[in-house]
């Protein structure tokens, strides 16, 4: 699922600039999707990360 909320990647703003459009309303730069990458059960490193997480919980 893709998020409709987008963010301007430029660091020239005083604060994060969110938008629903393809361009930043303040500087005109192209905005990017603000949602994190989706979870994939086929992730090749997933098993290693889960094992590491289990070790640190104990």
């Amino acid at each position: 699922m893709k998020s409709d909320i987008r963010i301007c990647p430029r660091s020239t703003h005083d604060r994060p600039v969110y938008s629903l459009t393809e361009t930043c309303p303040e500087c005109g730069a192209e905005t990017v999707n603000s949602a994190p990458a989706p979870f994939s059960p086929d992730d090749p490193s997933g098993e290693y990360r889960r094992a590491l997480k289990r070790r640190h919980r104990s």
Side-chain angles (χ1 to χ4, degrees):
M1 183 169 135
K2 189 174 177 185
S3 173
D4 291 334
I5 300 173
R6 302 176 68 80
I7 188 168
C8 181
R10 289 194 180 168
S11 59
T12 57
H13 303 294
D14 296 335
R15 56 177 172 62
V17 177
Y18 294 93
S19 175
L20 296 174
T21 63
E22 298 287 323
T23 57
C24 174
E26 292 189 12
C27 68
E30 188 172 325
T31 56
V32 295
N33 188 355
S34 65
F39 169 76
S40 172
D42 300 327
D43 182 11
S45 302
E47 185 178 342
Y48 172 75
R49 269 197 308 281
R50 287 186 292 275
L52 190 61
K53 190 182 245 185
R54 280 191 295 269
R55 264 189 264 151
H56 284 290
R57 283 187 194 163
S58 323

